[in-house]
Amino acid sequence: MNFPKPLQLSRRGVQFLVLALIVLTPILARYGNYLSARQLDQVLDRFEGSVQGAALEYTDQTIRFLAAPDVQRGDNQRRNDKEALLASRNLKGTTWSFEFFGVSLTDPLAALESAFASRSVRWVLILGILIPVALSILLGRFFCSWICPVGFGLELSGKLRSVLRFLEIKPGRARLWYGNKYVLLVLGLFLSLLFGVPFLGYLYPPALMGRELHNGVTVMFDRAEDGLLGFSAVGLTLAAWFLLLIAVVEILFGARLWCRSLCPGGAVYSLLGRFRVLRVVRSSDRCTKCGACAVACEMDLNPMIDKTGMECDNCGLCISSCNDDALHLRFASNDSPVAMAGRREGE
Amino acid sequence: MVEANEPLPRRKFLTRIGRTGVRVAAAGGLLYGVQSMFSRPPALRPVEEARMGILRPPGALAEESFLQACIRCELCAQACDTACIKLFGPWEGKLAGSPYIAAADRACNLCLQCTEVCPSGALGELFAKTEVRMGTAVVDERLCVSHNGTGACGACHTICPLRNKAITQGLFNKPTVHPEHCVGCGLCEEACIVHERKAIQVSSGRSWS
């Protein structure tokens, strides 16, 4: 076990940032509500010493520090509430659909489902998926490895497998056919077409997680307004159980089982990234065929046979695990290995 | 796709499809079982709320196409200035996750942030507040204190953003709603001083499916 490589560190950083953002957005929304109702000071007094109060307090301080410094008028300072309110509106949504400083970012699966269910395509939908689709075509399943908050949670909960090993319980290495997720995707879209309901939106873990976090935070603040301060699990619903079930099954029976074989969103990103430009490329002359990459790969792929195809999510775990510096992220149109004997690290 | 080197025989492929079907069915059954284990009866809806229909955010398409187009993100609820947009819980079938407004609790102030933010087009773009048609306010003359002779109130007229157009006042502040101007924001319902059941309510004509 050595120190994590820069690639993995930055990936963890991005994942953590995304998770923090989708926890922050409902708090920001609440903050905006209180600010526009001119209730913030009263609310801060009332929530003193509770989780909700602390959340609002820190949000307030950060926003005032970043976007809305106090206005100096002669001798007295005035708070710049209008600017703070405008700033708090810049971040909205979850990974299912996010609005980042006016730029709409929608999950392609959401757009697909909406189009299938309503049997029509609206311009806003296309505008929303432009950036995610373009990035996925270039970078492949980067959403799954760099952004998806559930993927992050599952990777972290997968660390518990080593605890199982310590307890001398052998965690399973179950495999399901990769194609299951495409079947699930087609089935879900067909059901959407048939019943006019975004069926996969109720099954797709990142969407569920965003909804759960939104509901949880909202209910926490609602209860705080009634005087019930502190954490509450009341806002969590069936979806939380479902996410927990996935995590437990993966810990016991196989790491990243859902992402590999069942996730309908992963299927969409796989299909989009079929001809991606950024790939893990093996240098055939450096590789000693030790097999460390195949063990490290959470998608259960083997980089040594140069056939990762569209299932690879460019997470770079194989690159970090390689002891011979034989794997690199390169701009390439296919998986065939290259000779890199002449090059050295850093060139 | 597993052993990518060898071609997949048709029979094997079909077996796999069949097996997958069984697995998906099993997963669905499991999900249904878990749901019925944890499900609870939906919150009791007041009779009049059911009669008046679901109040959707401004700019919403017709109910059927709205439910089809809405992707159940939380953007409208997060963009809402007054936190009046709430989301249906997961026990409501088709409605689950879709936005609604409980006007008696907190009404829309027509900031129209939700129509700007909606990524799916389920809330169509609106350019003026007078274009909004969420529903129509209906006065219950037996309950309204100005109408039934127990007082002179005028709260709904005072708060109406289209005062003297959508709601006009008669003798003893008796309100009259003019449906051609009423946007259905529900501010009158929120302000109404009659409680338990409001004397003025917004009827949206959207049935609970």
Side-chain angles (χ1 to χ4, degrees):
Chain A
M1 185 72 197
N2 44 6
F3 191 72
K5 303 273 167 61
L7 185 70
Q8 293 308 316
L9 268 184
S10 50
R11 190 164 71 94
R12 287 277 181 262
V14 172
Q15 282 175 324
F16 184 76
L17 203 70
V18 171
L19 187 62
L21 262 184
I22 64 171
V23 176
L24 182 70
T25 46
I27 299 177
L28 267 181
R30 256 319 150 99
Y31 172 75
N33 296 148
Y34 292 137
L35 207 56
S36 67
R38 299 197 177 86
Q39 290 279 313
L40 189 65
D41 292 328
Q42 290 95 312
V43 164
L44 281 178
D45 284 346
R46 202 137 49 89
F47 293 179
E48 181 90 60
S50 65
V51 194
Q52 294 89 341
L56 282 180
E57 184 96 50
Y58 288 128
T59 314
D60 189 42
Q61 283 172 4
T62 317
I63 283 190
R64 291 199 190 283
F65 176 71
L66 289 177
D70 291 348
V71 187
Q72 199 80 35
R73 274 199 198 136
D75 289 338
N76 47 354
Q77 271 193 336
R78 284 175 60 105
R79 290 193 321 179
N80 199 347
D81 279 359
K82 206 170 179 182
E83 282 292 312
L85 182 59
L86 284 178
S88 77
R89 287 198 188 123
N90 282 330
L91 298 171
K92 292 184 206 102
T94 62
T95 52
W96 188 230
S97 183
F98 200 81
E99 204 189 69
F100 185 80
F101 290 92
V103 181
S104 179
L105 306 165
T106 307
D107 198 302
L109 183 64
L112 263 180
E113 273 203 313
S114 181
F116 269 81
S118 64
R119 301 175 197 190
S120 64
V121 181
R122 286 162 304 281
W123 274 111
V124 265
L125 267 182
I126 298 176
L127 285 178
I129 62 170
L130 268 185
I131 297 172
V133 163
L135 284 177
S136 300
I137 286 175
L138 293 177
L139 307 178
R141 285 179 72 171
F142 81 104
F143 176 87
C144 304
S145 57
W146 286 73
I147 293 177
C148 178
V150 177
F152 184 41
L154 291 178
E155 273 189 58
L156 292 188
S157 70
K159 306 278 183 204
L160 289 175
R161 286 164 71 83
S162 61
V163 177
L164 279 190
R165 264 184 227 108
F166 178 73
L167 296 173
E168 302 195 340
I169 302 165
K170 203 177 164 198
R173 284 184 74 93
R175 286 178 178 177
L176 282 176
W177 177 43
Y178 285 115
N180 279 336
K181 56 177 177 289
Y182 304 103
V183 177
L184 197 59
L185 174 68
V186 172
L187 201 72
L189 289 182
F190 180 66
L191 286 176
S192 299
L193 195 69
L194 215 59
F195 296 111
V197 180
F199 183 75
L200 292 175
Y202 296 130
L203 204 70
Y204 182 47
L208 292 181
M209 189 163 184
R211 211 168 294 145
E212 284 302 282
L213 285 174
H214 174 86
N215 284 346
V217 171
T218 310
V219 168
M220 256 174 66
F221 276 104
D222 281 348
R223 284 166 62 91
E225 283 173 23
D226 296 339
L228 297 158
L229 297 169
F231 275 116
S232 83
V234 178
L236 301 182
T237 60
L238 173 69
W241 290 103
F242 180 57
L243 295 176
L244 200 67
L245 181 77
I246 293 179
V248 169
V249 166
E250 293 205 349
I251 292 168
L252 293 180
F253 300 115
R256 307 299 296 281
L257 205 58
W258 176 272
C259 310
R260 259 189 279 148
S261 311
L262 288 170
C263 185
V268 173
Y269 286 113
S270 277
L271 291 172
L272 284 174
R274 179 75 186 83
F275 301 104
R276 66 185 183 279
V277 203
L278 190 73
R279 280 166 194 268
V280 175
V281 174
R282 187 176 68 102
S283 109
S284 47
D285 38 9
R286 278 189 197 168
C287 176
T288 53
K289 304 238 166 189
C290 66
C293 49
V295 175
C297 183
E298 296 211 316
M299 288 288 150
D300 207 14
L301 299 168
N302 185 355
M304 288 186 299
I305 59 168
D306 304 313
K307 281 226 180 282
T308 50
M310 54 186 186
E311 303 299 335
C312 172
D313 64 358
N314 279 350
C315 68
L317 279 173
C318 52
I319 300 172
S320 302
S321 75
C322 186
N323 296 317
D324 307 305
D325 196 28
L327 292 167
H328 293 278
L329 274 178
R330 287 271 180 278
F331 291 107
S333 56
N334 56 36
D335 290 323
S336 54
V338 291
M340 280 191 241
R343 301 196 204 166
R344 281 282 158 266
E345 180 76 27
E347 267 180 58
Chain B
M1 245 164 257
V2 182
E3 295 86 18
N5 291 330
E6 61 209 35
L8 203 60
R10 180 178 294 163
R11 170 173 290 193
K12 210 171 172 184
F13 178 71
L14 288 176
T15 325
R16 275 178 177 177
I17 294 276
R19 217 179 273 160
T20 310
V22 172
R23 280 174 194 150
V24 169
L30 192 75
L31 266 179
Y32 184 78
V34 173
Q35 166 160 17
S36 52
M37 256 170 69
F38 289 105
S39 68
R40 54 186 175 199
L44 273 179
R45 293 181 191 125
V47 179
E48 63 272 22
E49 206 173 291
R51 185 166 54 83
M52 291 294 170
I54 311 169
L55 195 59
R56 296 284 187 197
L61 306 175
E63 184 64 12
E64 185 91 342
S65 13
F66 176 80
L67 281 176
Q68 289 169 354
C70 175
I71 60 172
R72 275 78 161 164
C73 64
E74 299 76 40
L75 273 171
C76 52
Q78 292 193 356
C80 184
D81 251 5
T82 57
C84 68
I85 299 183
K86 299 177 176 70
L87 303 170
F88 279 111
W91 321 106
E92 311 277 352
K94 256 187 169 184
L95 303 177
S98 65
Y100 71 99
I101 294 173
D105 184 20
R106 205 171 291 168
C108 171
N109 71 348
L110 300 174
C111 69
L112 302 189
Q113 296 267 347
C114 48
T115 63
E116 278 167 32
V117 85
C118 181
S120 69
L123 304 178
E125 191 91 30
L126 291 165
F127 299 101
K129 297 184 183 196
T130 47
E131 273 181 40
V132 177
R133 284 293 176 275
M134 293 155 73
T136 315
V138 181
V139 182
D140 190 333
E141 298 187 355
R142 295 164 304 162
L143 292 176
C144 177
V145 293
S146 302
H147 273 285
N148 65 17
T150 46
C153 159
C156 50
H157 178 258
T158 312
I159 199 132
C160 182
L162 295 164
R163 193 162 39 244
N164 294 334
K165 265 162 105 188
I167 298 183
T168 52
Q169 269 188 341
L171 191 63
F172 301 127
N173 296 345
K174 278 181 193 170
T176 314
V177 179
H178 301 279
E180 67 274 19
H181 292 299
C182 180
V183 296
C185 64
L187 281 167
C188 49
E189 186 173 336
E190 189 189 350
C192 181
I193 60 162
V194 183
H195 285 290
E196 291 304 317
R197 186 171 158 182
K198 298 284 187 174
I200 184 164
Q201 286 178 323
V202 180
S203 160
S204 69
R206 293 166 186 265
S207 62
W208 300 86
S209 52

